[in-house]
Amino acid sequence: MNDKITQDNSSGNEPDIILEVKDLHKSFGDHEVLKGISTTIRRGDVLALIGPSGCGKSTFLRSLNLLETPTSGQVLFEGTDLTSPTVNINHVREKIGMVFQQFNLFPNKTILENITLAPVTLGKKSKREAEAQAFALLERIGLKDKASSYPSQLSGGQKQRIAIVRSLAMDPDIILFDEPTSALDPEMVKEVLSVMQELAESGMTMVVVTHEMGFAREVANRVMFINEGIIQEENTPEQIFSAPKNPRLREFLSKVL
Amino acid sequence: MKPMKKVFLSILILTAAVLMCCGCSVSKDQSSSTESASISSVDDLSGKRIGVQLGTTGDLYCTDYEKDGSGTVVERYNKGADAIQALRQGKIDCVVIDEQPAIKFVEQNDGIRILDEEFTNEDYAFVLSKDNTTLLDQINQALDELKADGTIESIEKNWVGAESELGKSPYEKKDVDRSNGTITIGTNAEFPPYESYSDGQIVGIDIDILQAVCDKLGMDLQIEDMAFDSIITAVTSGKVDVGASGFTITEERKKNVNFTESYTTSKQVIIVKDTSAQNSRLSFADKLKQSFIDNDNYQYLLKGLGNTLLITLFAIIIGILFGFLIAIVRTSHDRNGSLPLLNGICRLYLTIIRGTPVMVQLLIIYYVILANINTSKILVAVVAFGLNSAAYVAEIVRSGIMAVDIGQFEAGRSLGLNYSQTMRSIILPQAIKNILPALCNEFISLLKETSISGYIGLMDLTKGGDIIRSTTFQAMIPLISVAIIYLVMVVGLSKIVGILERKLRNNER
């Protein structure tokens, strides 16, 4: 699938740009976490964000759908500047899915309700359409029998797969993953990663903050190493993992691999 | 249904235990105090425990004794009947009170008597606001005419005359044109024979005389029952036109209100325990009958219960509506700094409401804020208790919202739901489940707090029991019954919330 992506990139087709980040800065009080990040994400990209804890990669990811408000800089989603005060961020977020480390399923709702809540509440689909789609998605990840269960009855891996399906139900153009496997027991990591891999192969655009170097190497077509609030190195996985240039990256990789 | 039975059984056992304790304590009090009372004239009052009704002239005069350093203690009761009860139980040595009520009290209670020597003589008159001189002149003229034609004398004879005259000349309301407006009077219907409840109506000498005045003036008469010490404030604030509750003309009161001409003279007398009389005690069954059956007394409890439930229900509704509103403003501000002005107002509101007693709030709303507006007292109580409860509900709800994991909020927002959609379909349902026990507690407190409604003369359950207490001179049965009714309501309310809680909890874990 990397071939396909490369092909897309090489075509240089500008409408294929989904996200464009320009000189993004973010401070919490006096502490500057992001010190000017710029990048472009194209349709079909699978971008893995790696870096040590506290380097700013999660903050960067959360800035992409404005869960964190940037201090300065621009985030353009399909040409719309999200930092502009006139933008209806709720409309934009319908197109940007997000998957959290802690799953954040709604504990008082069934799995089916978790998946259909947003499309139905926002009037994107009728209840019947949303449920049909939800069953189809559940079928795809093999959890159809859990439709009427509550999140508390599921394992961590199952919850995270449901969370992915929940974001898919909004038919997003891109999905942001914030350390999706970090809260899982080791034996459940695989089932989540394989769903993500399948998603990537289907052409979904994804930005993934991850500590799973295997995933970054196998599934991503681009890897970005962030440290101390700036992009230290960005390249194909092959280059990043076999020929890292940045000394920080080399140090980081020596610790995690 | 098994737990229900258990609850019922424990209430029964508790009741029996309380009744037994009451019985014991009453008899012990009565036996131990017989020797302490040794008042035979006014001169003996010094150094004694004197019972009076709060704000009466008896209170005024006895307060001088309290200040003379002889160790005299003045116990001030809200009702004359309470003072009499205290005297009978030996908590005080004597009661100083107006002669006519004293006669009634002594008639109805064994073991007490009036001293031959009176405490003082005094004139009774009605009170009006200083700036209502037109009505004052009209009433004075009417009183003159009523004195001249013998109406007042006939009314007094009907209530306090010789045995042959009692009840023989009741004042009949005249069929006249009443187009000249309404006189609203404030009274304290626990002061027989001037005013008291009889068959659910307020009747008495004062009422008859003012009815006669209204007949003369071609006006309607409307009666408001309230605490005695609130009447003068009600008159000065314009809440009522005329205060009529056996008011003695005193210099102190003249500073605040105008008096009409005196319509009768009375005395303050001293009631003491009659050590010579043997106590003929009513059997428990007789007491029950006297408390509930005689004069359809149970109606006071029923009507009071109805009002208590009405006030509580609507106060809960107001509390929930305003409480949630305030909580949402406060959390929106905490989460994203929006609505700073509204948040400031809400915080001020919470500080004031939670920083002052609900009883003071009730009195302020009735006597200050709504002083000149003639609204139903139920409405006043609903507003007061509702606004009070809202402050507590708000903080409970706010803590509930803040306790829902921030990730839930972010998950909702990241799906494209706006702030209020996220609140409504994700955060609030979870918050409500968490705060249900705390909310239940708040509403139980609210139900019990409504028992102070009597302070604005509203007949709630507690006041209903008080009326029975003051007409039958039985303290135990009305009070215990009222307590049991509250208890049953609270247990019922807890049950309902328990069921609701279990139902919600089924969804999770």
Side-chain angles (χ1 to χ4, degrees):
Chain A
M1 74 149 272
N2 280 352
D3 293 344
K4 173 177 150 259
I5 303 299
T6 320
Q7 199 182 348
D8 277 356
N9 284 351
S10 60
S11 72
N13 198 352
E14 282 310 295
D16 271 352
I17 294 178
I18 288 193
L19 262 176
E20 205 172 350
V21 182
K22 292 181 179 168
D23 195 27
L24 189 69
H25 288 257
K26 174 69 184 178
S27 301
F28 295 105
D30 291 337
H31 180 55
E32 192 173 32
V33 180
L34 301 182
K35 301 170 181 169
I37 291 191
S38 302
T39 190
T40 301
I41 297 163
R42 293 188 167 76
R43 199 170 299 280
D45 266 357
V46 176
L47 173 62
L49 298 178
I50 61 172
S53 305
C55 69
K57 57 193 190 300
S58 274
T59 305
F60 170 63
L61 186 81
R62 290 160 58 85
S63 302
L64 300 182
N65 67 350
L66 250 61
L67 277 187
E68 302 291 353
T69 314
T71 311
S72 70
Q74 284 180 312
V75 179
L76 292 125
F77 175 75
E78 295 173 351
T80 314
D81 181 7
L82 304 191
T83 56
S84 150
T86 56
V87 158
N88 183 340
I89 190 65
N90 299 316
H91 280 314
V92 177
R93 282 176 180 153
E94 292 178 13
K95 294 270 126 206
I96 307 179
M98 181 139 190
V99 174
F100 299 86
Q101 182 179 355
Q102 299 295 340
F103 331 128
N104 295 345
L105 294 183
F106 308 132
N108 55 328
K109 305 211 180 287
T110 63
I111 299 309
L112 188 65
E113 288 166 342
N114 261 280
I115 299 169
T116 57
L117 176 88
V120 174
T121 305
L122 295 169
K124 290 198 70 170
K125 295 190 175 99
S126 73
K127 194 166 178 235
R128 182 180 288 183
E129 283 172 327
E131 284 182 357
Q133 183 201 24
F135 277 116
L137 287 167
L138 285 172
E139 177 102 72
R140 212 166 115 190
I141 58 165
L143 289 177
K144 199 176 174 185
D145 57 322
K146 300 289 184 193
S148 52
S149 302
Y150 284 92
S152 56
Q153 298 163 321
L154 270 55
S155 72
Q158 290 172 328
K159 283 186 205 172
Q160 194 61 299
R161 281 145 68 199
I162 298 296
I164 295 171
V165 164
R166 179 173 69 180
S167 69
L168 281 176
M170 288 298 290
D171 303 323
D173 291 345
I174 181 172
I175 301 182
L176 313 176
F177 292 81
D178 191 2
E179 303 198 23
T181 57
S182 298
L184 294 175
D185 291 338
E187 74 267 26
M188 292 171 184
V189 171
K190 218 176 143 208
E191 66 185 65
V192 172
L193 288 182
S194 68
V195 169
M196 289 170 67
Q197 180 161 9
E198 195 196 316
L199 207 56
E201 282 162 5
S202 73
M204 175 60 72
T205 313
M206 296 159 66
V207 182
V208 187
V209 171
T210 188
H211 293 293
E212 293 294 328
M213 295 306 145
F215 176 83
R217 197 204 302 254
E218 304 300 325
V219 182
N221 69 324
R222 291 166 59 196
V223 178
M224 187 185 278
F225 174 66
I226 297 180
N227 192 21
E228 290 174 348
I230 52 168
I231 301 172
Q232 305 278 358
E233 188 166 338
E234 186 188 347
N235 217 322
T236 60
E238 294 78 29
Q239 290 297 313
I240 290 276
F241 289 107
S242 49
K245 297 182 193 73
N246 183 288
R248 299 272 187 166
L249 173 58
R250 277 204 291 270
E251 188 192 334
F252 173 74
L253 288 175
S254 72
K255 280 179 190 159
V256 297
L257 286 178
Chain B
M1 279 299 93
K2 218 174 168 193
M4 217 41 179
K5 255 187 201 162
K6 229 186 252 169
V7 169
F8 189 66
L9 196 69
S10 31
I11 291 177
L12 270 184
I13 293 171
L14 196 70
T15 312
V18 172
L19 287 178
M20 267 158 73
C21 292
C22 291
C24 295
S25 66
V26 168
S27 49
K28 192 189 78 209
D29 274 353
Q30 281 182 338
S31 57
S32 68
S33 61
T34 27
E35 61 268 28
S36 70
S38 56
I39 299 170
S40 52
S41 79
V42 177
D43 304 332
D44 298 333
L45 285 180
S46 217
K48 296 294 191 306
R49 293 167 298 167
I50 309 171
V52 296
Q53 184 180 358
L54 179 67
T56 59
T57 38
D59 181 3
L60 212 63
Y61 296 136
C62 290
T63 304
D64 295 340
Y65 282 91
E66 203 175 24
K67 289 174 187 156
D68 69 5
S70 60
T72 310
V73 177
V74 178
E75 299 283 359
R76 296 170 182 83
Y77 297 89
N78 271 320
K79 293 185 279 190
D82 287 346
I84 299 293
Q85 283 299 317
L87 173 66
R88 294 180 70 206
Q89 292 170 3
K91 290 179 183 144
I92 49 176
D93 301 320
C94 68
V95 174
V96 172
I97 196 162
D98 301 55
E99 182 183 28
Q100 293 305 335
I103 292 170
K104 284 266 177 191
F105 287 144
V106 171
E107 262 173 30
Q108 293 171 16
N109 289 274
D110 293 322
I112 55 173
R113 66 187 175 90
I114 299 172
L115 289 187
D116 295 336
E117 184 189 8
E118 73 260 16
F119 186 65
T120 56
N121 284 307
E122 53 185 22
D123 293 322
Y124 281 179
F126 302 120
V127 297
L128 279 88
S129 156
K130 286 266 184 204
D131 36 60
N132 203 352
T133 50
T134 328
L135 186 61
L136 181 70
D137 294 341
Q138 287 176 316
I139 292 179
N140 276 339
Q141 196 183 340
L143 283 175
D144 279 345
E145 291 170 23
L146 291 167
K147 274 181 204 162
D149 67 14
T151 308
I152 288 183
E153 197 190 353
S154 139
I155 290 172
E156 284 188 356
K157 274 185 183 157
N158 181 56
W159 288 96
V160 297
E163 202 135 333
S164 59
E165 297 162 332
L166 275 181
K168 289 284 155 41
S169 52
Y171 182 78
E172 305 281 353
K173 188 174 168 182
K174 293 204 170 57
D175 188 19
V176 295
D177 175 34
R178 297 184 189 277
S179 53
N180 292 341
T182 303
I183 296 182
T184 307
I185 67 164
T187 191
N188 173 233
E190 278 154 6
F191 199 61
Y194 290 95
E195 43 268 320
S196 63
Y197 272 97
S198 171
D199 292 337
Q201 297 281 319
I202 300 174
V203 297
I205 297 174
D206 285 341
I207 310 301
D208 281 353
I209 292 178
L210 280 169
Q211 185 60 58
V213 168
C214 283
D215 290 351
K216 281 260 178 234
L217 300 177
M219 296 172 91
D220 270 319
L221 181 67
Q222 193 184 334
I223 305 166
E224 295 274 329
D225 184 20
M226 53 186 72
F228 182 77
D229 57 326
S230 299
I231 298 175
I232 292 202
T233 32
V235 169
T236 51
S237 69
K239 193 101 212 157
V240 300
D241 303 315
V242 177
S245 201
F247 278 106
T248 306
I249 302 172
T250 65
E251 290 309 313
E252 197 63 33
R253 286 174 180 159
K254 273 186 186 169
K255 288 177 195 160
N256 295 310
V257 286
N258 283 337
F259 280 94
T260 63
E261 285 178 25
S262 167
Y263 55 88
T264 190
T265 56
S266 178
K267 303 175 212 170
Q268 293 279 324
V269 296
I270 302 166
I271 305 178
V272 294
K273 285 191 85 150
D274 187 357
T275 43
S276 64
Q278 64 269 65
N279 286 359
S280 67
R281 295 186 65 186
L282 290 171
S283 74
F284 189 71
D286 286 340
K287 284 183 184 171
L288 275 180
K289 181 172 170 292
Q290 190 189 14
S291 297
F292 298 125
I293 314 290
D294 293 357
N295 299 318
D296 282 350
N297 275 346
Y298 68 94
Q299 290 283 358
Y300 293 115
L301 289 185
L302 274 189
K303 185 146 186 286
L305 175 61
N307 284 342
T308 292
L309 288 175
L310 200 68
I311 295 168
T312 308
L313 179 70
F314 284 97
I316 286 178
I317 292 173
I318 293 185
I320 288 178
L321 287 181
F322 278 81
F324 270 78
L325 218 65
I326 295 169
I328 286 168
V329 169
R330 298 265 288 126
T331 41
S332 307
H333 183 266
D334 288 356
R335 283 261 158 89
N336 30 0
S338 56
L339 314 166
L341 182 67
L342 260 179
N343 181 59
I345 294 171
C346 288
R347 283 185 60 170
L348 183 68
Y349 178 79
L350 295 181
T351 309
I352 292 173
I353 296 288
R354 298 199 301 162
T356 54
V358 61
M359 185 169 125
V360 177
Q361 292 162 15
L362 177 70
L363 293 176
I364 288 176
I365 290 184
Y366 186 65
Y367 287 111
V368 182
I369 298 174
L370 298 177
N372 296 312
I373 306 163
N374 206 356
T375 41
S376 102
K377 287 175 181 172
I378 301 256
L379 189 68
V380 172
V382 165
V383 169
F385 290 113
L387 291 183
N388 178 270
S389 187
Y392 293 92
V393 171
E395 285 302 273
I396 292 171
V397 174
R398 191 170 75 97
S399 73
I401 291 174
M402 293 314 247
V404 175
D405 181 34
I406 184 84
Q408 292 289 310
F409 188 77
E410 290 183 345
R413 295 308 302 271
S414 74
L415 284 166
L417 301 177
N418 63 27
Y419 182 83
S420 71
Q421 285 166 332
T422 309
M423 268 303 185
R424 253 183 328 200
S425 34
I426 297 167
I427 308 296
L428 284 180
Q430 295 183 49
I432 288 169
K433 183 164 17 180
N434 293 339
I435 60 178
L436 214 54
L439 272 185
C440 174
N441 273 338
E442 164 55 23
F443 296 141
I444 286 174
S445 314
L446 175 64
L447 172 71
K448 291 182 292 183
E449 273 171 0
T450 60
S451 63
I452 59 168
S453 304
Y455 275 90
I456 58 168
L458 201 167
M459 200 175 80
D460 72 320
L461 179 57
T462 306
K463 175 90 172 177
D466 273 3
I467 292 174
I468 298 178
R469 197 150 60 94
S470 66
T471 54
T472 62
F473 301 98
Q474 298 291 343
M476 184 180 78
I477 295 173
L479 284 175
I480 300 290
S481 327
V482 165
I484 291 172
I485 297 173
Y486 277 114
L487 187 61
V488 168
M489 287 194 288
V490 168
V491 170
L493 195 59
S494 312
K495 278 269 156 218
I496 294 170
V497 175
I499 292 167
L500 197 65
E501 215 176 308
R502 230 168 305 139
K503 245 183 163 166
L504 286 172
R505 188 86 39 214
N506 277 346
N507 294 353
E508 244 186 281
R509 264 155 277 260

